[in-house]
Amino acid sequence: MKKIFISETLSKIGKKIELFGWVNSVRSHGKLIFFDLRDRSGIIQCVVLKNASAFEKSLKLREEMVIRVRGKIQKRDEKLFNPKILTGEIEVIVEDIQILSEAKTLPIPIDSDGYEINEEIRLKYRYLDLKRERLQKNLVNRHRLILFIRNWLSQRGFIEVETPILTKSTPEGARDYLVPSRLHKGKFYALPQSPQQYKQLLMVSGIERYFQIARCFRDEDPRGDRQPEFTQLDIEMSFIEKEDILKLIEKLFIEIVEKLYPQKKITSIPFPRLTYQEAIEKFKSDKPDLRKNKNDLNELAFCFVVDFPMFEILEDGNLNPMHHPFTQPKLKNDEFNKEIVIDKLRNEPLSLLSEQYDFVCNGYEIGGGSIRTIDKEILIEVFKTLGHKEKDLYQKFGHLLEAFDYGVPPHGGIAPGIDRILMILENEPNIREVIAFPKTGEGRDLMMNSPSEVNDIQLKELGIEIENKN
Ligand code: ASP
């Protein structure tokens, strides 16, 4: 590959080079045409002299055209240095230009941070919106964060395992996205709300230390800053206790900040651990904002909230697990007594606490996890408490219940959300700014125009009829 990046031109003074990129701007001075060429690595000034063979062509240059430039790198006159760009002390004396692709005037400006532009238009033209420097930086930093996490966990004996996207409903508290099966008419896959059951089954398989940069799907009503699909750092470990997981996450995030965001400072190390009750009593919130100065963009106040109640009553009056049914219930005095736990599940479930913990930063819940129930009788009792009929349980969760008959190590895990963490680290106002192709609050992709209708043949193959098309 002979393409060099603009950032590599600094070492090429006096040499002939070939560059590829986009026309960032053009300035005509009559006898001279100046244009700035941009690629992923930066911007460089190009000069076309009137007597150059490329002069005629350079008159056709418009912003955002894609071109190839051949020429010689030379040092600029000291008076003309531009300290704002990396290549501000050099320029290209152009010998030849080839226009590879024309470009119409863009529907949105891309030289600002973009906050001032209507978001629907930005999302419709997301492929142009992503050209802006701020979003390019967010994508690069997202890549760096994920790469750092992958390496960090790999060095500590974790392996990344991919789990299916076409799967079966998992009770993670939201509605499932369903995918109709053509080969098995009338049956549906569900997209995973999280890899929860698979990662627990991997513990039965003896993997011991699992992680995955996992895409999760939840069909929730539009509420705040949510996305129907989002990315979690999903972790599960065997033969550990709650504090092992909290320490692992604490260490990982201290190093993320040290290595990738050294300008930021963490308010308290070790990260404070508050019980759910303390958090509610002191801060009236289960995701307290413990920053000393809420205006300081570089302050990160991490904490863990532990000892959540096992269940809560929803607005519709239904009993719901605070985390999910796989979380281990426990008694108020931190003791574990199976008979008493089963009795409470049957008679006063709301009095039970659980081994759930949440990971919180600056007032946002950025992850949750728990130590899991490995006692089959308790798990069945939890499901019954939640209103599942015992006879349906094997149909819904038979894989897990049966697996627990074949030797299951004690295990637990956590799943910090990558999008929300990046939003905080990049000081962005919402998670859409750190996702390449996000959906609107109503779950629409304005660029691809999805969800969209499908044709009658597709529906027929699936055995689906749409009621009331309008
Ligand atoms: N599956 C859980 C969630 O998505 C995380 C966990 O319990 O590890 O919230």
Side-chain angles (χ1 to χ4, degrees), residues 172 193-196 199 216 218 232 234-236 323-324 327 368-370 372 413-415:
E172 210 83 36
Q193 292 190 34
S194 91
Q196 185 63 35
K199 68 172 173 174
C216 306
R218 298 185 190 175
Q232 284 186 341
D234 199 36
I235 293 179
E236 196 74 12
H323 189 41
H324 49 54
T327 297
S370 60
R372 325 298 182 187
I414 192 164

Side-chain angles (χ1 to χ4, degrees), residues 116-257:
E116 76 289 358
I117 306 168
N118 174 302
E119 201 187 6
E120 296 218 336
I121 301 178
R122 286 182 53 207
L123 292 179
K124 177 161 171 9
Y125 294 102
R126 187 60 158 185
Y127 51 90
L128 299 177
D129 195 40
L130 287 176
K131 287 178 170 223
R132 75 183 72 257
E133 210 179 307
R134 175 173 65 90
L135 294 195
Q136 297 254 323
K137 176 191 76 97
N138 287 355
L139 290 190
V140 171
N141 289 349
R142 182 181 183 111
H143 162 74
R144 287 201 184 128
L145 175 73
I146 291 176
L147 188 63
F148 183 88
I149 292 172
R150 281 203 159 104
N151 286 331
W152 196 91
L153 289 171
S154 306
Q155 282 154 13
R156 283 157 185 81
F158 285 79
I159 63 163
E160 182 164 19
V161 183
E162 290 162 273
T163 53
I165 295 294
L166 292 178
T167 170
K168 191 172 160 175
S169 179
T170 332
E172 210 83 36
R175 221 176 260 117
D176 291 312
Y177 278 101
L178 299 176
V179 181
S181 160
R182 178 180 61 85
L183 296 178
H184 308 277
K185 278 209 183 75
K187 299 207 166 151
F188 294 82
Y189 300 98
L191 302 184
Q193 292 190 34
S194 91
Q196 185 63 35
Q197 297 186 67
Y198 287 105
K199 68 172 173 174
Q200 290 197 241
L201 290 167
L202 286 170
M203 296 303 108
V204 176
S205 313
I207 296 301
E208 291 195 41
R209 290 180 175 207
Y210 146 95
F211 82 99
Q212 182 178 191
I213 304 295
R215 199 63 71 81
C216 306
F217 306 85
R218 298 185 190 175
D219 187 2
E220 286 174 299
D221 290 330
R223 180 149 58 96
D225 184 19
R226 295 240 176 132
Q227 285 283 304
E229 56 179 302
F230 56 93
T231 308
Q232 284 186 341
L233 162 60
D234 199 36
I235 293 179
E236 196 74 12
M237 295 165 84
S238 294
F239 308 112
I240 39 86
E241 289 171 0
K242 173 175 75 192
E243 195 50 37
D244 298 310
I245 293 187
L246 304 192
K247 284 220 178 79
L248 179 91
I249 291 297
E250 183 177 89
K251 204 157 188 276
L252 171 62
F253 277 80
I254 291 171
E255 288 194 33
I256 286 172
V257 174

Side-chain angles (χ1 to χ4, degrees), residues 35 41 126 129 184 200 217 245 266 296 404 419 453 468:
F35 67 91
S41 70
R126 187 60 158 185
D129 195 40
H184 308 277
Q200 290 197 241
F217 306 85
I245 293 187
I266 298 174
D296 181 354
F404 282 12
D419 309 300
E453 281 161 4
N468 224 337

